Structures are given as structure tokens and as C-alpha cells.
Amino acid sequence: MLVDSHCHLDFPALSQRVSEIVAAMTRNGVGCAVCIGVTLEDLPRVIALAEHWPQILATVGVHPDAEGGREPSCEDIVKLVQHPRVIAIGETGLDYYWHKDMPEWQRERFRNHIRAARVAGKPLVIHMREAADDTLRLLVEERASDVGGIMHCFTEGWSIARQALDLGFHLSLSGIVTFKNASGVRDVAQRVPLDRLLVETDSPYLAPVPFRGKTNQPAYVRYVAEEVARLRGVPSEEVVAATSENFFRLFPDARSKVAP
């Protein structure tokens, strides 16, 4: 089966259609989708989806762009991640696209998430936008390689990809890989070791071709996998099998949590 390693089913564009979305997943061979936490205030909705739907798992984290909500301590995150349907810590990281002043509060939040992941023994889900050098620096300083995780919606070039791989992280490719102008991402898709590759939708954003510009959903992750396979010159079944196995190797407890 396919796994969508990153989506936001609790967001308004999708939250009223979850039954329909899960049915579409089933029709398209997508057996699991990970709903990502982005604020503490919204976390109950994320957890509720994972509790109700066997196909949905959850993460706990506060997005680097999130302002105005409760700031999580390391202890807060460690406690929240004990929920049986939670498999990872994140979405966390750095985003200098929206925060060009490179705020120290963002870096300190990131450090707290990494420290919590090491205490809890859970992998990380990393958001990195126009902040590759600082992201990698903090991952090294806080010894994130002890737990590893996912570089979500990876859009950097091969040099950054190599450094992330050397830290023990997996690269997750989104619908961007289907965009003809995304030459850097398409190059990475061909070069990343198959045993370190994941696929995602980042729903409701970044719908792949042929749905570009429309609302994305986990069922569309198969178009990401098919394009990666085409770029690598291998059968799509090979990418489907490898990315799913990679996911369950990274999150060994997830296999028993997901509906057969």
C-alpha cells in the first residue's frame, strides 16, 4: 500500500470531507496518512481524527510559522507524544520565507522539539524553507541524528539532501516533483537512495499534476510515487513498495496501528 507521510486533514479545506477522503484513499491504494500537528490548540482535532480512523496517524508539534498560541516546552511535547496514535514530533523546523528576520524564538522552539524527540525516542518531521544552513546546524548541535526523521516536502538541491541523509533523515517528496519547472527536486528524486525516500501530499496544498492548483488530498500521493518512478526509470510498484517499507521501518509501531 501507499503511505502519505504528511497531510493536514484537520484544515478547513478537508475537515468536513474526511469520510470521502478516506474512501478515495482506499480506491487509490493509500492505506495510511499522517495528519500533522501544527499548534497545541489544534492538536485535539488531529488526535480525534487519528482515534476515529484506523488509516490516520498523528504527530505532535508547533509549526515554525505559528504565532500567538501556547509555546510548548520540551516537557509538554514529551507528554503529548505518549498518545498511542502519535508516531512523531513535528511539524517543526525553521522558515525564513515568512520570517525574514530569522527570529530567535523560532530557533528556540525548534531546539525544544529536537530535545523532546531525543527524550521520547520519537522521529522528527522537519519543515525547512529558505533556512537550510541553520536547520542543519541546529540538527547537528542538538544531536537530532539520535532519532532521525523526515525532511518534509523537500525542495532543496542535492548538496543539502546529502547532508540531511548523512544525519540519518529520510527525504519526503511532494507533488512539487510533478512540476516541470522543479528541476532541483526532480534531480533529487533520481539520486536519493530508494531506501531513504518517502512520498507525501502536504494536503490540502501542492496538488500534483494533473490536479495542480486544486485542493490536494492523500489519494493523490500515488501521482507523486508514479512520477518518482518515471524519473528513476523503474516500475511504480517498486517505488510504492519501497516508500511504504521505509515508512514502517522509520515508524515500526505504525504498522500495527494502521488498518489492514
Side-chain angles (χ1 to χ4, degrees):
M1 67 175 178
L2 270 164
V3 176
D4 179 0
S5 72
H6 195 111
C7 64
H8 299 281
L9 298 180
D10 62 310
F11 282 17
L14 300 176
S15 62
Q16 302 304 310
R17 302 170 45 223
V18 177
S19 295
E20 169 193 334
I21 287 165
V22 170
M25 287 170 55
T26 300
R27 290 195 302 273
N28 285 274
V30 182
C32 176
V34 183
C35 190
I36 303 295
V38 295
T39 70
L40 295 184
E41 289 74 19
D42 293 340
L43 182 60
R45 295 204 307 266
V46 174
I47 297 294
L49 286 168
E51 288 175 336
H52 183 77
W53 296 99
Q55 301 91 336
I56 299 173
L57 297 171
T59 72
V60 167
V62 177
H63 194 284
D65 288 339
E67 296 183 84
R70 184 161 69 89
E71 193 66 33
S73 66
C74 175
E75 293 76 15
D76 290 333
I77 301 167
V78 170
K79 182 178 179 180
L80 290 166
V81 81
Q82 301 308 312
H83 190 285
R85 301 294 294 174
V86 172
I87 63 168
I89 290 175
E91 178 172 358
T92 184
L94 299 175
D95 191 316
Y96 294 167
Y97 179 82
W98 295 111
H99 296 278
K100 299 185 185 303
D101 55 340
M102 303 182 185
E104 184 56 34
W105 62 262
Q106 211 182 74
R107 290 187 284 272
E108 188 57 30
R109 176 185 292 173
F110 187 22
R111 289 184 189 276
N112 276 338
H113 281 71
I114 301 171
R115 292 166 186 167
R118 292 183 61 241
V119 171
K122 294 284 189 178
L124 289 151
V125 177
I126 305 297
H127 173 107
M128 177 174 66
R129 191 172 186 189
E130 297 192 6
D133 290 343
D134 274 3
T135 301
L136 292 170
R137 176 176 62 83
L138 266 62
L139 289 173
V140 170
E141 289 178 1
E142 297 293 338
R143 292 163 44 202
S145 58
D146 288 356
V147 292
I150 301 172
M151 307 301 288
H152 131 72
C153 192
F154 191 81
T155 57
E156 301 289 335
W158 181 245
S159 174
I160 300 300
R162 183 71 267 170
Q163 293 177 68
L165 291 167
D166 288 345
L167 287 172
F169 279 78
H170 290 62
L171 306 186
S172 184
L173 301 181
S174 70
I176 291 174
V177 77
T178 70
F179 301 171
K180 299 303 183 185
N181 61 346
S183 57
V185 176
R186 291 161 71 83
D187 175 63
V188 168
Q190 295 174 75
R191 299 174 70 173
V192 59
L194 191 57
D195 64 353
R196 302 290 290 282
L197 176 65
L198 297 171
V199 288
E200 65 172 82
T201 59
D202 201 14
S203 310
Y205 311 115
L206 303 176
V209 175
F211 304 102
R212 188 174 182 179
K214 299 180 180 179
T215 301
N216 204 0
Q217 60 174 301
Y220 296 167
V221 75
R222 77 177 183 89
Y223 293 92
V224 179
E226 288 170 357
E227 180 63 12
V228 170
R230 191 192 69 78
L231 290 168
R232 296 176 74 99
V234 300
S236 60
E237 293 81 5
E238 184 175 333
V239 171
V240 170
T243 54
S244 298
E245 186 56 37
N246 295 343
F247 177 84
F248 289 115
R249 188 172 59 250
L250 181 60
F251 304 105
D253 293 339
R255 196 183 300 269
S256 63
K257 300 177 188 295
V258 177

